[in-house]
Amino acid sequence: MVELGQTDTEVYAPKKTLHVWRALLNWLAFFFQIFVQIIKATPTLINYSSSSSSSPSFEPLPVVELSESPESPSPYAASAVNIPTADAAYDLSQKLTVVLDLDETLVCAYETSSLPAIVRNQAIDAGLNWFELECLSSDKESEGKPKINYVTVFERPGLHEFLTQLSLFADLILFTAGLEGYAKPLVDRIDAENRFSRRLYRPSTSSTEYREHVKDLSCISRNFCRIVIVDNNPFSFLLQPVNGIPCIPFSAGQPHDNQLLDVILPLLKQLSEQGDG
């Protein structure tokens, strides 16, 4: 921390202060919009996902009493939260890195055998893009061969346009807590143009004392000023909460969802243009 009494202390320019306040107001407006849509959203169905840690109900984090002695190491040091400071260096020549979750963020997937026909037909009649998929399960057949799961996948409205527009000003990375045997063929299908520069699966997630399968952005970049993660599960980015953008979970019962193009894309475009000026 810079001491105020130092004569060589850097003085924040009014322009920088304006950027900070403007960014703060934009965030508050965004979260208010998310809150309003959550109130209006219909209850989602149980989503077929290889990520067993994704839960629709969030339990409060336990209260941690900080030690007053500077010599006593904190037992929670391994889960330190990375929060970029207001005077962090921004380099607008570097593209914004956008990390995207998969299940209930870009698509929703259901085990075909357990998907009610009425739900499937209503979603298709309402105009949702969908496809069926064969993917490898972590379970084995009696002969020792990998078990094949049959999955029905519904794309979130505007998915392909969202990825196309986003790739023009951001580097895209897929980060899912799903297993590769399930997620890889799915992403191959929705990203035939290879817009994702990297794909990270469950082995790349971290475990903390609060939650398993947390997506630690430090495995992607140490510069947290130019990276954000979009995920329907806020626990996914608990190690870097300032960099997280929550979205409403998507299900087959939401054919008129507008999150990607009307909410997330404009926000990411604005963030990509934020800088020190």
Side-chain angles (χ1 to χ4, degrees):
M1 181 178 294
V2 180
E3 294 294 331
L4 295 179
Q6 294 178 349
T7 57
D8 59 344
T9 300
E10 179 183 357
V11 178
Y12 287 98
K15 191 174 182 180
K16 179 183 292 185
T17 304
L18 179 60
H19 278 302
V20 173
W21 278 107
R22 183 177 299 168
L24 178 60
L25 290 175
N26 289 336
W27 274 102
L28 291 175
F30 170 72
F31 280 110
F32 177 76
Q33 186 174 6
I34 289 290
F35 175 77
V36 171
Q37 294 199 37
I38 289 175
I39 296 300
K40 295 180 179 179
T42 56
T44 60
L45 299 172
I46 297 178
N47 198 351
Y48 174 83
S49 169
S50 296
S51 172
S52 59
S53 66
S54 178
S55 172
S57 60
F58 306 129
E59 299 178 358
L61 297 180
V63 177
V64 178
E65 295 185 0
L66 299 179
S67 172
E68 297 180 358
S69 172
E71 299 178 356
S72 301
S74 171
Y76 303 99
S79 299
V81 174
N82 295 296
I83 300 178
T85 57
D87 60 339
Y90 292 87
D91 180 8
L92 289 181
S93 64
Q94 178 187 357
K95 271 189 173 183
L96 180 70
T97 297
V98 177
V99 180
L100 296 172
D101 174 46
L102 181 62
D103 290 297
E104 298 186 11
T105 297
L106 300 182
V107 302
C108 61
Y110 302 82
E111 189 170 4
T112 302
S113 61
S114 63
L115 176 63
I118 187 172
V119 175
R120 176 181 178 276
N121 294 337
Q122 286 179 346
I124 295 173
D125 291 343
L128 281 182
N129 293 330
W130 67 283
F131 55 89
E132 293 185 340
L133 190 70
E134 294 182 4
C135 55
L136 294 178
S137 171
S138 58
D139 298 329
K140 301 289 184 180
E141 300 278 4
S142 56
E143 300 83 6
K145 298 180 180 180
K147 182 180 179 181
I148 302 296
N149 282 336
Y150 296 91
V151 180
T152 300
V153 180
F154 294 94
E155 299 177 356
R156 195 161 199 161
L159 172 61
H160 294 281
E161 180 67 17
F162 172 76
L163 294 177
T164 298
Q165 294 296 324
L166 186 56
S167 64
L168 297 178
F169 61 85
D171 289 325
L172 307 187
I173 294 177
L174 180 92
F175 201 165
T176 175
L179 295 172
E180 185 173 356
Y182 153 74
K184 185 180 185 302
L186 198 164
V187 180
D188 286 342
R189 186 70 177 264
I190 67 173
D191 185 33
E193 295 80 9
N194 292 316
R195 295 188 179 94
F196 291 111
S197 60
R198 293 177 64 186
R199 299 179 183 181
L200 302 176
Y201 305 101
R202 181 177 296 184
S204 297
T205 62
S206 304
S207 295
T208 71
E209 58 265 47
Y210 303 128
R211 202 76 172 183
E212 294 183 345
H213 309 312
V214 175
K215 300 171 184 178
D216 186 357
L217 299 181
S218 65
C219 73
I220 299 173
S221 174
R222 301 300 301 181
N223 180 11
F224 296 113
C225 297
R226 298 294 292 169
I227 185 170
V228 294
I229 177 171
V230 180
D231 201 305
N232 69 285
N233 182 5
F235 281 110
S236 293
F237 47 80
L238 65 83
L239 293 181
Q240 293 93 19
V242 175
N243 300 83
I245 299 176
C247 68
I248 296 173
F250 169 64
S251 75
Q254 297 167 293
H256 305 297
D257 176 273
N258 64 353
Q259 282 280 293
L260 294 182
L261 293 179
D262 292 353
V263 180
I264 304 298
L265 183 63
L267 174 63
L268 293 175
K269 178 62 175 176
Q270 187 171 22
L271 288 177
S272 72
E273 299 168 350
Q274 291 289 329
D276 248 358

